Amino acid sequence: AKPSASRVSMPSMTGNVTSTRTGGSGVGVGAGTSTGAAEVSIVLTDDAEQRELNRQWRGIDKSTNVLSFPQIAPFGSVSGLVGDIILARETLEREAAEMGVSFDDHFTHLLVHGFLHLLGYDHMQDDEALVMEGLETKILATLGVADPYAEA
């Protein structure tokens, strides 16, 4: 099956973006600035295609829920094509059912997660994970989505 793609254009924003990495207040997403219109490509695909992309680009021969392919420097200026977020529909459906959350909430969580990766955030180290998960939780709260990292 071919992936289906949607293009989401974000309105132009100007000024500094609040940085929680340096102790800023509010929901910040990076230390860069937005210098014009920005675009993110979102692809919803199946597990087979996601597995191939994961193998090709990360050397991991299995499907994964979300892959992000940034087109900007980490924490750099946000404009133009920011990057691609690829989500595996079958994996998202399975994970949502296993966690007892709606598909929409899980999809939203992983979309936010993927977007933060595009901006330069990561979770390979514990301190990075705490920052990224904290941002995800704050952003999701503004969207009415419960904290995906809360203890049940």
Side-chain angles (χ1 to χ4, degrees):
K2 292 219 179 238
S4 60
S6 298
R7 292 230 180 248
V8 178
S9 295
M10 299 166 46
S12 175
M13 300 181 299
T14 58
N16 289 326
V17 178
T18 304
S19 174
T20 58
R21 291 174 60 91
T22 57
S25 61
V27 178
V29 292
T33 59
S34 176
T35 58
E39 182 177 315
V40 174
S41 174
I42 300 168
V43 177
L44 191 58
T45 190
D46 61 18
D47 281 352
E49 178 69 19
Q50 190 80 327
R51 177 180 180 172
E52 177 57 26
L53 290 168
N54 203 23
R55 185 196 59 72
Q56 180 180 356
W57 294 102
R58 297 179 64 219
I60 300 173
D61 191 17
K62 66 177 186 174
S63 187
T64 187
N65 50 20
V66 62
L67 291 169
S68 296
F69 297 96
Q71 299 295 317
I72 59 172
F75 306 106
S77 180
V78 177
S79 66
L81 181 58
V82 176
D84 304 318
I85 301 172
I86 321 263
L87 300 131
R89 180 190 48 79
E90 295 160 318
T91 297
L92 268 60
E93 289 174 342
R94 184 176 60 256
E95 289 175 345
E98 289 169 358
M99 294 185 294
V101 299
S102 73
F103 175 85
D104 289 351
D105 283 358
H106 192 48
F107 177 86
T108 301
H109 169 218
L110 291 175
L111 193 59
V112 168
H113 183 91
F115 186 72
L116 290 174
H117 275 307
L118 293 181
L119 296 179
Y121 288 92
D122 209 341
H123 47 82
M124 298 304 288
Q125 305 294 327
D126 288 345
D127 59 336
E128 293 174 332
L130 287 173
V131 170
M132 188 169 175
E133 290 171 8
L135 281 172
E136 288 174 35
T137 300
K138 287 178 185 178
I139 293 166
L140 291 169
T142 69
L143 300 171
V145 177
D147 180 355
Y149 301 107
E151 299 279 331

